[in-house]
Amino acid sequence: MLKNEKYLNGEPSCAVDYAFRRIGGKYKGRILWYLHANTILRYGELRKTLYDITPKMLTQTLRELEDDGLISRKVYHEVPPKVEYSLTETGKELIPFIDYLRQWGDKQIAKESRKL
Amino acid sequence: MLKNEKYLNGEPSCAVDYAFRRIGGKYKGRILWYLHANTILRYGELRKTLYDITPKMLTQTLRELEDDGLISRKVYHEVPPKVEYSLTETGKELIPFIDYLRQWGDKQIAKESRKL
DNA sequence: CGGTATCCTATCGGATACTG
DNA sequence: CAGTATCCGATAGGATACCG
């Protein structure tokens, strides 16, 4: 398990590293979580929910998640256009972990506020 | 759960974000995982295990983890010096989650290699 | 509505040399 | 052994304007 050094230069050095590369980044965790909570979200809805994201970052992040097979993108060829995002099966497998992390985060935030 | 927008400018916008900030970064996941697998590791042992990390990044990352209460640092005032790192109770709470993520990563890596 | 394009800056992380 | 210090390059992310 240790010394799992089969990947060199640029490749993940272990599965933990591999996974973190796919869900790291400033907004990926939140996007996955919000998609889980709502099943389907449109581009504009994601933008409102993530209120502090720029369109550039939102598009970029959504593309990366799509390329990594964590979300799927459904385009409706209408006017005005409509695009829906949802979790893939692979993406859904990450939800228990994100939920666990969220609970842990809540606990730490509560701890911190008690100290103030 | 959504619209958890009590944190503005610089503060985490939700617990998912909060948690990702603490375990994000290029090496944090691996460090936590290796410390769990070995219980205690010295600075040089971590450096060898993370083989691709520079001393600057290792020290910096360890300090951040320590400041966030995820690991503890024990200094032996000897010559030559000896410093041991281990997980705190709060840090240990993250292990099941990291392990889940690691298994997920392993599965994806296996999937990818089947496609090649 | 759902994006692109362009430009810019700040932070992250790397290389290397040095120290108590 | 366990770090610091300094400098530097890459890249993640932000601001703003525009487009089909």
Side-chain angles (χ1 to χ4, degrees), chain A residues 2 7 13 15 18-19 23 30 34 38 51 90 93 96-97 100-102 104 107-109 111-112, chain B residues 2 7 13 15 18-20 23 30 34 38 51 90 93 96-97 100-102 104 107-109 111-112:
Chain A
L2 286 183
Y7 302 94
S13 59
Y18 173 98
I23 58 163
R30 284 159 72 196
Y34 294 150
N38 297 276
Y51 71 94
T90 303
E93 288 173 16
F97 138 75
Y100 186 98
L101 196 55
R102 189 185 54 78
W104 179 88
K107 199 168 146 189
Q108 305 312 312
I109 292 171
K111 267 197 213 173
E112 281 181 20
Chain B
L2 288 183
Y7 302 93
S13 59
Y18 174 98
F20 268 98
I23 58 162
R30 283 159 73 193
Y34 294 150
N38 297 277
Y51 71 95
T90 303
E93 290 173 14
F97 130 74
Y100 184 97
L101 196 56
R102 188 185 56 78
W104 178 89
K107 199 168 145 190
Q108 306 312 312
I109 292 170
K111 267 197 214 173
E112 282 181 20

Side-chain angles (χ1 to χ4, degrees), chain A residues 2-53:
Chain A
L2 286 183
K3 307 262 177 210
N4 186 1
E5 300 177 6
K6 35 186 172 179
Y7 302 94
L8 296 175
N9 58 29
E11 289 305 304
S13 59
C14 73
V16 173
D17 195 31
Y18 173 98
F20 268 98
R21 292 193 188 200
R22 261 137 202 86
I23 58 163
K26 192 167 177 183
Y27 304 99
K28 287 188 180 174
R30 284 159 72 196
I31 289 178
L32 294 173
W33 180 248
Y34 294 150
L35 281 178
H36 167 251
N38 297 276
T39 311
I40 293 179
L41 284 174
R42 295 177 62 175
Y43 184 91
E45 292 173 328
L46 278 166
R47 198 169 164 184
K48 258 181 283 178
T49 309
L50 291 154
Y51 71 94
D52 57 348
I53 197 170

